[in-house]
Amino acid sequence: MKGDKNLWVLVFICVINSMGFGIIVPLLYSYGKKFGLNEQTIGILTASFSVAQFFATPLLGALSDKWGRKPLLAISLFGTCASFLLFATAQSLVILFAARVLDGITGGNISVAQAMISDSSTSEDRAKKFGILSSAFGFGFVLGPALGGLLSKMGMQVPFYFAAGIALIGALCATFILKETKDKKESGVKSTASRKESNRQQATDNRQQKNDKFNFVSLVTALKRPVIGTAVFVGFLLTMGQFIMIIGFQTFSVDKLKISPTQIGLLYAGFGVTGILMQLGVPFITKFISSKAVILSLSTVVCLAAMTATGFTKALLPFAACVFVYGLFNGLRNPMLNAIIADKNDDEEQGEILGVNQSYASLGQTLGPVAAGLITAVSVHAVFFLSAFFILLGFLLTFRLKAKEKQNS
């Protein structure tokens, strides 16, 4: 692990990329108000990113299977840089939407980075590396909002220029420092016996023909795979639950607890830090529990209990305690799901399938806030119970995931 230079380059890229995203998210509403953004259109603006990412991510993942991970990762980061520059120089609401859509279209760097990890890891250390990568994303998201708030004091456009700058640094790192992993895998295949090489090459040609004719039917067909489809759907449900909770978190903090923006920021940062700590502990957890599906099931039931308890809280301390417990065990979700998907996937389709997984996560990020907005008409507490309902569905499906994983072992 210490000598895995590519892993640490990816970690650095993921930190600065997610930090750039985290910088601008808290400023979207206040920055866009001068262009006519209101309470209704901010939701649409936020969703436009996830909708664009939903359709673009599997395509970028499939292209990375064909052309290599490195160029697609670099292109997506350059696209992110361009989107931030559009935001900084925008003169109308249309440009703001164009910028978010562009960032969503080029937002496939998550699945491409995951595919690079999968390329260069074994089943034994894959969950560990996915945990490190998830921690890198989490660290950037925790650091970004605080940094954005500080930079905004120098002018509302400054954080967007800064975000563009660090995205550019990530793109340059991907271009000049990162080593391609796809070619390395293929070169290893070519060193096998000639008969196996011929069969493997034929399979590769077939998949390349599939990639040339890529369409979005794979978003449906991926769900039909016994283990992969179940894991993707579990991820979708749990992401729905998380983003419903985030809306409830914001509304409850302001309307019920009436705490200050600074306190809200610290509470949110604490939520993010707990997830990072758990992700860093993945190597120790997998030493004691070998089944990733079992780890996922245990962590999900704790999240379910924490979110249900959150719905009954009325004061700051019990609310914070429940949210922190949820954040801690929710940190295991992505490392386990990504490792399960990668373990059960062909080498030639890692980028595409991980892209499909990210697409469904983006769909959950889009539908979750919409569902939360509708349920707040009942009560703020109902938002947490709705989140718990989706977590419960995800928990029940982990038993199916465990059964399918055992059948396909």
Side-chain angles (χ1 to χ4, degrees), residues 185 189 192 195-205 207 346-348:
K185 293 280 286 188
V189 172
T192 59
R195 181 176 62 82
K196 291 183 178 180
E197 178 183 4
S198 176
N199 293 338
R200 182 71 168 186
Q201 186 60 50
Q202 182 62 48
T204 300
D205 291 341
R207 290 189 179 100
D346 293 334
D347 292 337
E348 300 301 324

Side-chain angles (χ1 to χ4, degrees), residues 252 256 310-314 379-386:
F252 188 77
K256 297 297 181 181
T310 304
F312 292 103
T313 58
K314 295 181 180 180
S379 76
V380 175
H381 294 279
V383 177
F384 301 113
F385 293 127
L386 180 63

Side-chain angles (χ1 to χ4, degrees), residues 114 129-139 276 279 331 334-335 338:
Q114 290 169 347
K129 290 185 177 182
F130 276 131
I132 293 172
L133 199 67
S134 295
S135 299
F137 276 111
F139 179 74
I276 294 172
Q279 287 160 357
N334 285 335
N338 290 334

Side-chain angles (χ1 to χ4, degrees), residues 191-267:
S191 64
T192 59
S194 59
R195 181 176 62 82
K196 291 183 178 180
E197 178 183 4
S198 176
N199 293 338
R200 182 71 168 186
Q201 186 60 50
Q202 182 62 48
T204 300
D205 291 341
N206 291 339
R207 290 189 179 100
Q208 285 180 341
Q209 289 175 11
K210 174 189 172 185
N211 290 337
D212 290 338
K213 301 177 181 178
F214 178 81
N215 56 63
F216 297 104
V217 173
S218 63
L219 291 170
V220 177
T221 56
L223 293 178
K224 297 180 180 179
R225 300 190 182 190
V227 177
I228 290 175
T230 305
V232 168
F233 195 61
V234 168
F236 163 73
L237 292 171
L238 297 182
T239 302
M240 277 278 291
Q242 178 181 342
F243 276 78
I244 290 171
M245 183 280 298
I246 288 175
I247 299 300
F249 177 95
Q250 296 171 346
T251 309
F252 188 77
S253 298
V254 174
D255 295 342
K256 297 297 181 181
L257 298 179
K258 300 186 184 302
I259 57 179
S260 68
T262 301
Q263 291 173 313
I264 293 173
L266 290 173
L267 196 59

Side-chain angles (χ1 to χ4, degrees), residues 10-27:
L10 282 172
V11 164
F12 177 70
I13 290 172
C14 288
V15 167
I16 61 178
N17 188 36
S18 61
M19 185 170 64
F21 180 78
I23 284 171
I24 73 163
V25 167
L27 305 174

